[in-house]
């Protein structure tokens, strides 16, 4: 379940990025994505990722819950020039 992108043409679809390279088990959740400033933020392998729609512009944005457990960001809501989202941390739980 890696992120794919298309320009709308039948031959214009391709895998944007391999979030979890090597084992084919990457998990990307674009159903819970949020757009802000020409970029899309999404849950990639249980961490906060960002893309500008290019392979070179797709990367881990922030590790909300450093360590082996992911933060599972989701429920993105844009309000003005801010993007709010829910994430899990060991300190605060799911907030």
């Amino acid at each position: 379940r890696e992120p794919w992108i298309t320009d709308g043409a039948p031959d214009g679809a391709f895998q944007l990025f391999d979030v979890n390279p090597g084992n084919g088990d990457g998990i990307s959740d674009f159903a819970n994505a949020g757009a802000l400033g020409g970029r899309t933020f999404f849950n990639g392998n249980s961490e906060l990722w960002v893309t500008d729609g290019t392979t070179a512009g797709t990367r881990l944005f922030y590790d909300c819950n450093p360590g082996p457990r992911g933060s599972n960001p989701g429920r993105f809501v844009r309000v003005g020039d801010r993007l709010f989202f829910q994430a899990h941390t060991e300190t605060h739980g799911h907030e």
Side-chain angles (χ1 to χ4, degrees):
R1 300 183 324 192
E2 300 286 3
W4 282 64
I5 193 166
T6 184
D7 62 6
D11 62 347
F14 62 93
Q15 183 176 321
L16 180 62
F17 196 84
D18 191 357
V19 171
N20 194 8
N23 67 7
D25 195 24
I27 299 172
S28 298
D29 187 0
F30 275 85
N32 271 322
L36 181 68
R39 300 180 296 173
T40 300
F41 295 82
F42 64 98
N43 179 343
N45 211 30
S46 296
E47 298 296 353
L48 184 61
W49 280 66
V50 64
T51 185
D52 63 2
T54 68
T55 300
T58 303
R59 63 180 174 80
L60 176 67
F61 183 75
Y62 184 73
D63 186 353
C64 300
N65 189 34
R69 296 187 61 194
S71 60
N72 201 27
R75 298 188 179 193
F76 294 88
V77 176
R78 181 178 172 189
V79 179
D81 63 352
R82 305 278 184 183
L83 186 65
F84 294 85
F85 62 95
Q86 175 176 295
H88 178 272
T89 66
E90 299 304 316
T91 304
H92 301 289
H94 214 84
E95 301 287 344

